[in-house]
Amino acid sequence: MNLPADHPLVDGRTAASALIRAYRGERPEITPIWFMRQAGRSLPEYRELRVGTAMLDACLDPELSSEITLQPVRRHGVDAGIFFSDIVVPLKLAGVDVDIVPGRGPVMGAPIRTMAEVAALSPLEPDALAPVAAGVARTVAQLGSTPLIGFAGAPFTLAAYLVEGGPSKDHLRARTLMHSEPGTWAALMEWAADVTGAFLRAQMLAGASAAQLFDSWAGSLSLADYTAYVAPWSKRAISYVHDLEVPVVHFGVGTGELLGAMRDIGADVVGIDDRIPLDEGIRRLGGTIPVQGNINPALLAAPWPVLEAHVLAILERGKTAPAHVVNLGHGVPPETDPTVLTRIVELVHAAR
Ligand code: 1CP
């Protein structure tokens, strides 16, 4: 393990936490739970803190990123923090003209579609990651025995933004490019894997105890395209943390047909979205790997008895895996009542 001696996984702070034990395949006394997009828009204290600061500036301000990361941990009692940042932060740090537009998401100054445009992309200088490492270090110093999850976007999901120039529904231009210009595609994916891999590694070295690779939009791909044009580059991205021996979670939306292939890039845990029943996802994975998921975000706004029954059913289905970390099938919707999230944490922690 090439982590520093004062890293929380090494010095005893987080190695025995419920989250890390579950990610390693054990069944701790409580089933751990955290929420994708727990840090951010659904919390009034977040909205207050963000007034007057652009999203990417907030991500690169160690004091702000750390405080926003800690807010949901304090409020909900979740079993992990997830570092407040964004998948496009390493693109920005490598010099790409990208902004996060409120209500829309990441938007590029110009799309990257040709070999010349890919060749003009710069590598990410290690020093550029200093604000990320500082934010993580500051967060971890305050989290104590609660592990911090570091994350990065997978190359395909990043390419979906780079090629399109912004958010898109079907990521069609990226899906065309992989077939029409396989050489350009490979060069773009290699650049994205290296940039995102370095971003992930910096978070882990600075004190994060687990890594999550988000291939949010991989569900738009056939298994054949995923295997040929995407999986090798996701594997390259996570190779950046391989020697650190940290647990790696791999998640995407609508990936019921891809679960085995997503595991096979070298993931230790597979995140399952809410489009298939959790036990069906576990069955497709052969019942041998820990899973994370898969509360339907739509039910967060349903009457409590409906949501409660849904969460308890997911806990039951999760018992067919070696270990289970409860999460949503995708991110917390911005309009979610935060008290509902706290109530789910209490329910999961009290359940047997
Ligand atoms: O002004 C704001 O508050 C901007 C909203 C916002 C927030 C809070 C964006 C823009 N990003 C984030 C933070 C963020 N992004 C986190 C923080 C930690 C946490 O989970 O609490 C994380 C992990 C991400 C990762 C991310 N960004 C993903 C992968 C996860 C997922 O939700 O699928 C993706 C696809 C993005 C792109 C992105 N950034 C922001 C938006 C609105 C989007 C999606 C745009 C689209 O629909 O294409």
Side-chain angles (χ1 to χ4, degrees):
M1 204 189 252
N2 288 333
L3 291 170
D6 62 351
H7 188 282
L9 268 184
V10 180
D11 71 12
R13 271 178 285 167
T14 60
S17 65
L19 182 91
I20 298 301
R21 286 177 59 200
Y23 279 168
R24 301 262 194 227
E26 292 174 40
R27 284 266 168 196
E29 305 70 45
I30 56 153
T31 307
I33 174 167
W34 66 278
F35 302 103
M36 290 186 277
R37 294 282 179 99
Q38 66 188 21
R41 301 162 296 174
S42 67
L43 295 186
E45 57 268 36
Y46 165 78
R47 291 195 292 264
E48 200 176 304
L49 212 56
R50 271 285 318 282
V51 171
T53 309
M55 175 65 192
L56 285 172
D57 292 339
C59 294
L60 294 171
D61 177 331
E63 216 170 302
L64 264 184
S65 62
S66 163
E67 176 57 23
I68 295 172
T69 303
L70 294 165
Q71 284 177 342
V73 181
R74 290 191 202 110
R75 184 194 258 265
H76 303 306
V78 281
D79 297 287
I82 177 150
F83 185 56
F84 180 79
S85 193
D86 195 82
I87 58 168
V88 299
V89 163
L91 310 186
K92 166 106 181 157
L93 295 176
V96 172
D97 179 7
V98 54
D99 195 13
I100 293 185
V101 176
R104 225 181 131 205
V107 176
M108 310 292 143
I112 309 291
R113 293 178 188 160
T114 65
M115 190 52 127
E117 285 158 358
V118 175
L121 292 167
S122 308
L124 177 52
E125 298 300 335
D127 287 353
L129 288 162
V132 172
V136 168
R138 203 183 161 95
T139 308
V140 166
Q142 294 172 77
L143 272 174
S145 58
T146 302
L148 179 70
I149 299 169
F151 75 91
F156 172 72
T157 290
L158 293 174
Y161 291 103
L162 288 162
V163 177
E164 197 69 34
S168 62
K169 201 161 136 275
D170 300 320
H171 328 298
L172 263 185
R173 284 190 173 91
R175 287 161 52 205
T176 302
L177 187 68
M178 63 178 69
H179 290 279
S180 57
E181 285 185 49
T184 303
W185 179 254
L188 177 62
M189 291 294 271
E190 183 171 319
W191 177 85
D194 291 342
V195 161
T196 211
F199 174 60
L200 192 58
R201 184 175 179 85
Q203 295 169 70
M204 305 319 301
L205 286 175
S209 292
Q212 179 155 325
L213 190 72
F214 282 96
D215 210 349
S216 297
W217 311 139
S220 68
L221 298 166
S222 67
L223 178 59
D225 282 354
Y226 178 81
T227 306
Y229 297 109
V230 171
W233 310 110
S234 296
K235 200 171 177 178
R236 182 178 174 112
I238 64 163
S239 75
Y240 275 75
V241 297
H242 187 73
D243 65 309
L244 305 179
E245 295 173 43
V246 294
V248 175
V249 186
H250 195 191
F251 167 80
V253 181
T255 49
E257 302 303 322
L258 308 181
L259 292 174
M262 289 180 68
R263 171 198 58 210
D264 291 345
I265 69 151
D268 302 300
V269 180
V270 176
I272 299 178
D273 94 320
D274 49 286
R275 286 159 184 78
I276 59 168
L278 189 61
D279 50 348
E280 173 59 15
I282 293 166
R283 191 191 64 74
R284 292 182 189 189
L285 287 162
T288 54
I289 186 167
V291 294
Q292 180 170 281
N294 72 346
I295 297 171
N296 181 351
L299 293 197
L300 296 176
W304 174 252
V306 175
L307 176 56
E308 182 183 37
H310 176 64
V311 172
L312 292 174
I314 284 171
L315 282 169
E316 269 317 299
R317 292 176 192 272
K319 289 181 179 162
T320 58
H324 177 206
V325 172
V326 178
N327 206 312
L328 303 180
H330 196 190
V332 177
E335 57 281 3
T336 302
D337 172 0
T339 63
V340 171
L341 300 180
T342 311
R343 206 166 172 190
I344 295 174
V345 174
E346 288 164 0
L347 174 67
V348 168
H349 283 168
R352 274 290 144 261

